[in-house]
Amino acid sequence: MTLEEIERLAGWCTRAGIGEIELAQTGFSLRLRLNLQSSVAETSLAVATTPKAEAAFNGVRAPGVGVFRLDHPTTGRPVAASGQTVRKGETVGVLQVGSHLKAVLAPDDGVLGAALVEDGAVVGYGTPLYALATADRARQ
């Protein structure tokens, strides 16, 4: 990630009221802490030495940073409903960043649980949005 990209991310977060964000991938991590009370942003960049173990979560996660929408912003209709059977790759929500809309896709076939965040909530990359019961677990 370039310095220009980090500065752009800091600007987006400031406008969205996000005070802290952490991004990580193999060999790279970025933690950005913003002091929303002033115009000064603190950044720290570090190379990850060991991957972090994540708790197992079987569900739909946010594909990026933005405002999560349960209802499509242009139609006002729900994108998906709790209890709905979905197929891998099917749109189950929308992530809005400014005027840009990004589809939130089901990672697997299954049955959607209740939304784990409210419509209009600001979410970060990887934030759990829906639990997803796979076909095997849904039958139990």
Side-chain angles (χ1 to χ4, degrees):
M1 184 172 252
T2 66
L3 182 57
E4 182 179 284
E5 291 170 324
I6 294 170
E7 289 173 344
R8 191 173 357 173
L9 177 62
W12 291 338
C13 290
T14 300
R15 286 189 295 281
I18 299 171
E20 183 173 346
I21 186 170
E22 185 173 343
L23 305 170
Q25 61 186 159
T26 305
F28 172 82
S29 68
L30 170 72
R31 178 177 292 147
L32 184 63
R33 289 188 185 123
L34 301 168
N35 181 351
L36 300 178
Q37 301 303 319
S38 73
S39 61
V40 178
E42 301 173 24
T43 62
S44 64
L45 182 64
V47 175
T49 54
T50 57
K52 294 180 181 178
E54 289 191 18
F57 172 73
N58 185 33
V60 180
R61 292 183 179 268
V65 176
V67 178
F68 180 59
R69 300 292 182 191
L70 294 166
D71 297 334
H72 196 283
T74 59
T75 65
R77 287 186 243 154
V79 178
S82 176
Q84 177 180 334
T85 300
V86 296
R87 309 278 295 162
K88 180 178 181 176
E90 186 175 340
T91 302
V92 296
V94 176
L95 193 63
Q96 184 175 7
V97 180
S99 62
H100 177 74
L101 302 176
K102 180 175 181 127
V104 176
L105 307 176
D108 293 304
D109 294 352
V111 178
L112 276 183
L116 301 174
V117 296
E118 293 182 18
D119 182 62
V122 176
V123 297
Y125 176 80
T127 301
L129 303 175
Y130 288 103
L132 183 66
T134 59
D136 294 338
R137 290 190 343 181
R139 280 181 244 162
Q140 294 176 352

